[in-house]
Amino acid sequence: MNTKDLASASLLLLLGVALGIWLDREWLPQPASRTSPAAPSGKPGKLPALARPPASRPDSSTFPVQSDPAGQPLGASEFAFAFNAAMSQRNPDNRLTQLIELAERVLPAEASRVMPLLDQVTRRDHRSALLGVLIGKWAGADPAAALAYAQQLTRGPERLSATVTALGVWAAADNSAALAWAQTQPPGNQRNQAFQAVLGQLAETDPGAALAELKKAGLTSLTSGLPEAIFQHWAGTDPATAAAKALTELPPGRQRDSVLQLITATWAASDPVAAAAWVRQQPDGKGKRELIQNLSDTLAATDPKAAVELALTLPEGGNRQQALAQIASRWGSVDLDAALDWVKQLPAGQARDNALLNLSHEWAEANPRAVAEFAAALPGGPTQDALYTAVANQWATSDPASALKWAQALPGEEARLRAMETALTVWAGTAPEEAAVVVANLPTGNAKQTLLQNFAAHWADDDPDAALRWTQQLPAASQPAAYEGLVPQLANNSPAAAAALLGHLPANSREQVAQHILQVWRETDAAAARTWLAKAPLTEEVKQRLLKP
């Protein structure tokens, strides 16, 4: 390289360095002093303005703004350039995603310098989301300064959210300093939120100290949520002490019961035997009964026999019945055969019936014929009917014709009708044309009329036009029942079409259906609804009743 070329290269290098220095000084503010007040009680100094990037924004399709949040950290100048590119995104969701990813990569010491860019984010929800990330970054480097900035924000919800975020970061690094700041705040929502942020952090390491500070602050109300959070953390490390403190530090009532439920549930996850033993030692009362019921439900997932033993310590009544039913459901999801063997040996009564009902779905799904045989041996009643319904529902999903044939052979009229209706409903959802032929050819009788009505209603809910065509081609004697199910469903989407069919309904059913048609129609065209009512196939007395508001 000759002397002339060397001089030219040196000149270009000097110009590049000078340009970089100028851009850094002119485009970005210089770092603010790290000296900040211990507590931001006074009005903070105004942040240096961050100049806008050049008017001609780079094309975001050529600039790599969609980087992994765990990528290279960004200084203020790199963030500002990438921010400008991200703001050019037309899709607001994509824009926000890119901005959040960039904010998560900002160096904590540089976060204060990019805050002025928030003024360019006009959507409040986007601005709040971006502010939350940046204020958290800033608080990681200088929590007092970040908190001072949050306090001078003019929008109330934004100020509160930013304050709590900054304080939470500060509390994680220096809980005593953050707590001292929270204690200086006047009574109100911000003070309550500040204590929640600080004591929530303290509870993770020293729940006893957190509880003491909570009591000093007077924030043990039912709505704060702090006692529950503190005791749940405590239960994770020392559940016995947590339970003892809850009994002595919290007054009897709903909040203490709720806290004890959290403690015993956490305790049972690590030592269910000890948790159950502690619950048994508690004095009798509503709180103990609820603890046993909930703990037995938790135990059923891992040790159902222990859960049963605990539940049987409850006195006869609703709590015991509910506990045994919950155990059956949990046990059945893990080991259906073992759960069934246990339920079957329970003495006849409401507890066994409830347990059977909770197992009916899983049992019928696994072996519908076995459920049908078991139900047939039961006395008639709600439990037998519910088991038959479960059989019909599960069987019809794989073989609706066989399920319907079985249902038709059931001895009890009510159970038979309910099982047939269940099978036909499932069939209507998978192959309505096939089910429609079967319904139309059922033997004449009251059961057929009910099934026609219910089938038409279910079909019309999915395909009103097909249900209407089917109803219109039914024999005249079958049409009124089908219209009775079809017309109310049709009114939900087309009240005018439903109104034209009202005359096909039995006279004693018209008033109720007409009332439904009017209610829907008035929302879109009240005048047309009134005009129709004047000519509707109803008595004058009925019309007058329907006209009343």
Side-chain angles (χ1 to χ4, degrees), residues 60-153:
S60 61
S61 64
T62 61
F63 190 83
V65 293
Q66 294 186 359
S67 303
D68 190 307
Q72 290 295 322
L74 297 176
S77 57
E78 293 94 345
F79 176 85
F81 187 69
F83 173 92
N84 190 42
M87 288 295 289
S88 69
Q89 275 284 339
R90 293 187 177 183
N91 183 291
D93 293 335
N94 292 344
R95 185 190 316 135
L96 177 61
T97 299
Q98 291 182 10
L99 290 173
I100 294 297
E101 289 179 354
L102 293 169
E104 288 172 344
R105 293 169 53 196
V106 171
L107 289 165
E110 297 281 279
S112 63
R113 300 181 63 197
V114 304
M115 283 298 187
L117 288 171
L118 287 172
D119 293 338
Q120 297 181 39
V121 182
T122 55
R123 280 188 54 165
R124 289 193 178 185
D125 56 337
H126 287 194
R127 174 185 163 87
S128 296
L130 191 59
L131 172 63
V133 178
L134 291 174
I135 202 75
K137 286 280 187 177
W138 189 357
D142 191 344
L147 201 52
Y149 174 85
Q151 288 284 282
Q152 56 85 39
L153 293 170

Side-chain angles (χ1 to χ4, degrees), residues 177-209:
L179 180 61
W181 184 89
Q183 290 167 340
T184 65
Q185 300 307 296
N189 187 39
Q190 179 171 284
R191 182 174 186 269
N192 295 345
Q193 295 283 336
F195 271 103
Q196 289 193 39
V198 176
L199 297 184
Q201 288 285 348
L202 182 58
E204 295 183 12
T205 56
D206 191 346

Side-chain angles (χ1 to χ4, degrees), residues 69-414:
Q72 290 295 322
L74 297 176
S77 57
E78 293 94 345
F79 176 85
F81 187 69
F83 173 92
N84 190 42
M87 288 295 289
S88 69
Q89 275 284 339
R90 293 187 177 183
N91 183 291
D93 293 335
N94 292 344
R95 185 190 316 135
L96 177 61
T97 299
Q98 291 182 10
L99 290 173
I100 294 297
E101 289 179 354
L102 293 169
E104 288 172 344
R105 293 169 53 196
V106 171
L107 289 165
E110 297 281 279
S112 63
R113 300 181 63 197
V114 304
M115 283 298 187
L117 288 171
L118 287 172
D119 293 338
Q120 297 181 39
V121 182
T122 55
R123 280 188 54 165
R124 289 193 178 185
D125 56 337
H126 287 194
R127 174 185 163 87
S128 296
L130 191 59
L131 172 63
V133 178
L134 291 174
I135 202 75
K137 286 280 187 177
W138 189 357
D142 191 344
L147 201 52
Y149 174 85
Q151 288 284 282
Q152 56 85 39
L153 293 170
T154 56
R155 296 191 183 107
E158 196 174 77
R159 179 173 61 252
L160 179 61
S161 176
T163 298
V164 170
T165 299
L167 196 60
V169 175
W170 195 4
D174 187 350
N175 197 273
S176 59
L179 180 61
W181 184 89
Q183 290 167 340
T184 65
Q185 300 307 296
N189 187 39
Q190 179 171 284
R191 182 174 186 269
N192 295 345
Q193 295 283 336
F195 271 103
Q196 289 193 39
V198 176
L199 297 184
Q201 288 285 348
L202 182 58
E204 295 183 12
T205 56
D206 191 346
L211 181 63
E213 293 295 341
L214 183 71
K215 293 183 70 176
K216 283 199 299 185
L219 293 176
T220 56
S221 69
L222 293 176
T223 57
S224 72
L226 278 172
E228 290 83 354
I230 290 171
F231 278 104
Q232 190 162 23
H233 282 298
W234 209 339
T237 56
D238 188 355
T241 302
K245 282 291 185 180
L247 289 173
T248 58
E249 299 295 330
L250 298 177
R254 182 161 55 90
Q255 185 181 59
R256 188 170 79 174
D257 290 345
S258 174
V259 165
L260 290 173
Q261 296 286 2
L262 288 172
I263 292 171
T264 53
T266 305
W267 199 349
S270 59
D271 191 347
V273 175
W278 181 85
V279 169
R280 284 196 183 97
Q281 293 171 0
Q282 301 313 303
D284 291 333
K286 179 184 176 184
K288 179 179 180 178
R289 292 194 296 271
E290 291 178 348
L291 282 172
I292 291 176
Q293 185 176 336
N294 289 335
L295 183 56
S296 62
D297 181 42
T298 302
L299 285 174
T302 55
D303 191 348
K305 292 182 180 180
V308 171
E309 183 181 347
L310 180 62
L312 291 176
T313 64
L314 289 166
E316 290 284 354
N319 289 104
R320 178 191 276 198
Q321 293 168 8
Q322 291 173 19
L324 293 175
Q326 290 168 352
I327 292 169
S329 182
R330 290 265 191 168
W331 198 351
S333 65
V334 177
D335 188 344
L336 179 61
D337 291 336
L340 284 170
D341 290 340
W342 166 68
V343 170
K344 289 176 182 178
Q345 58 81 37
L346 288 174
Q350 193 61 50
R352 188 180 78 157
D353 290 348
N354 289 346
L356 282 170
L357 293 178
N358 278 14
L359 284 175
S360 61
H361 177 79
E362 289 84 357
W363 192 11
E365 189 175 27
N367 193 343
R369 291 183 184 275
V371 183
E373 292 172 2
F374 182 85
L378 295 175
T383 302
Q384 185 188 62
D385 292 348
L387 290 176
Y388 281 150
T389 299
V391 171
N393 184 69
Q394 291 300 324
W395 201 344
T397 58
S398 58
D399 189 352
S402 296
L404 183 62
K405 185 178 179 180
W406 164 80
Q408 287 177 285
L410 291 174
E413 182 177 354
E414 186 174 344

